[in-house]
């Protein structure tokens, strides 16, 4: 993905699409930044509050209206989670790949083409299925753990993680583990938590203690 070409192509579409207002553009740019930080992987998980902060949108009603507009007008594909503890997902379309472009057949009243849609090679649902069906190898997990943990703990914790989720069929409860890297990061956080070690010397009661002295 070429950052400049993609953003340039998107801006050209904005300029020729009279349906858009500044809020739509601001929201798209905030989503584009999320996509960029995810190294242009699709779909990208988003946080509504963070996207609203980046796009300077103060109203949830405005946010939902604009993101639905962008979805309906084929700027992206929006998959709301309807779960406050789980981020919604957005599939960002590649505008700088001509082989994937298809003209929208709907036209305005004067017969002018109102925009172009990009036909994604894979939908969000396909990506979900791919993610569920692709289980990481032990080596992939070890490599991931070694990037975050020190060498001594990485291999041990990676094997624990792999064995645990292999035993559960790569599920959390009845649901498929959709993002094993996120689960691994949580696992690593717990592995780094060091229990408070009590000072055993303070627990040793001596027989020669003088209990007449004030505490």
């Amino acid at each position: 993905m070429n950052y400049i070409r993609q953003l340039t192509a998107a801006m050209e579409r904005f300029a020729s699409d009279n349906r858009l207002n500044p809020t739509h553009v601001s929201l798209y740019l905030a989503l584009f930044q999320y996509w960029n930080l995810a190294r242009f992987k699709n779909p990208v998980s988003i946080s509504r509050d963070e996207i609203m902060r980046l796009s300077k949108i103060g109203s949830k009603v405005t946010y939902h209206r604009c993101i639905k507009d962008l979805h309906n007008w084929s700027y992206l594909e929006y998959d709301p989670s309807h779960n406050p503890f789980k981020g919604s997902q957005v599939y960002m379309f590649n505008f700088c790949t001509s082989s994937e472009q298809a003209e929208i057949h709907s036209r305005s009243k004067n017969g002018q083409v109102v925009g172009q849609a990009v036909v994604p090679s894979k939908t969000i649902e396909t990506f979900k299925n791919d993610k569920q069906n692709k289980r990481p190898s032990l080596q992939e997990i070890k490599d991931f753990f070694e990037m975050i943990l020190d060498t001594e703990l990485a291999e041990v914790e990676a094997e624990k993680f792999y064995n645990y989720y292999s035993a559960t069929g790569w599920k959390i409860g009845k649901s498929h583990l959709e993002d094993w890297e996120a689960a691994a990061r949580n696992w690593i956080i717990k592995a780094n938590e060091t229990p408070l070690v009590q000072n055993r010397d303070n627990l040793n009661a001596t027989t020669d203690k003088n209990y007449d002295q004030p505490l």
Side-chain angles (χ1 to χ4, degrees):
M1 171 65 65
N2 186 300
Y3 180 102
I4 296 176
R5 288 181 181 176
Q6 170 68 17
L7 193 54
T8 300
M11 295 303 292
E12 288 176 353
R13 289 170 183 271
F14 298 158
S16 61
D17 192 342
N18 294 327
R19 298 169 300 181
L20 298 172
N21 61 41
T23 309
H24 290 107
V25 177
S26 177
L27 176 57
Y28 181 89
L29 293 177
L31 293 168
F32 182 84
Q33 176 65 5
Y34 251 61
W35 191 29
N36 175 42
L37 293 175
R39 298 184 179 182
F40 299 108
K41 292 181 180 179
N42 270 316
V44 60
S45 180
I46 64 171
S47 163
R48 182 191 63 198
D49 292 342
E50 183 64 13
I51 293 296
M52 288 179 64
R53 185 186 69 81
L54 289 174
S55 60
K56 305 302 180 183
I57 296 175
S59 166
K60 293 180 182 178
V61 174
T62 302
Y63 167 82
H64 286 294
R65 176 178 57 79
C66 287
I67 198 168
K68 287 178 181 177
D69 285 345
L70 293 175
H71 170 90
N72 293 332
W73 298 339
S74 300
Y75 283 93
L76 50 83
E77 190 169 341
Y78 175 53
D79 181 26
S81 69
H82 304 294
N83 185 335
F85 301 104
K86 180 181 178 181
S88 297
Q89 291 187 317
V90 170
Y91 185 101
M92 301 292 288
F93 294 162
N94 182 354
F95 293 141
C96 56
T97 303
S98 59
S99 61
E100 292 181 353
Q101 293 180 351
E103 191 177 80
I104 291 180
H105 295 295
S106 61
R107 295 174 177 266
S108 61
K109 291 181 181 180
N110 60 6
Q112 182 181 4
V113 177
V114 294
Q116 286 184 328
V118 174
V119 180
S121 57
K122 291 186 178 181
T123 63
I124 288 181
E125 195 60 38
T126 304
F127 271 87
K128 284 181 180 178
N129 293 335
D130 287 349
K131 218 168 187 181
Q132 291 170 1
N133 294 330
K134 184 182 180 301
R135 298 177 180 180
S137 66
L138 177 58
Q139 188 57 51
E140 284 181 293
I141 294 174
K142 285 183 178 180
D143 292 341
F144 185 82
F145 272 69
E146 286 175 0
M147 288 191 300
I148 304 175
L149 280 174
D150 59 61
T151 307
E152 295 180 359
L153 288 175
E155 187 170 353
V156 174
E157 293 300 327
E159 289 182 356
K160 288 181 181 179
F161 178 86
Y162 179 81
N163 292 336
Y164 176 83
Y165 282 104
S166 293
T168 65
W170 295 92
K171 292 183 178 181
I172 299 179
K174 295 182 179 180
S175 302
H176 287 281
L177 179 61
E178 293 185 4
D179 191 341
W180 71 265
E181 292 183 357
R185 285 191 287 270
N186 288 334
W187 186 285
I188 290 169
I189 290 172
K190 292 180 180 179
N192 279 328
E193 290 177 353
T194 304
L196 294 174
V197 179
Q198 293 181 332
N199 186 346
R200 294 183 180 179
D201 293 338
N202 292 336
L203 299 178
N204 293 333
T206 57
T207 55
D208 58 349
K209 183 176 179 61
N210 185 354
Y211 291 96
D212 292 331
Q213 296 295 327
L215 297 177

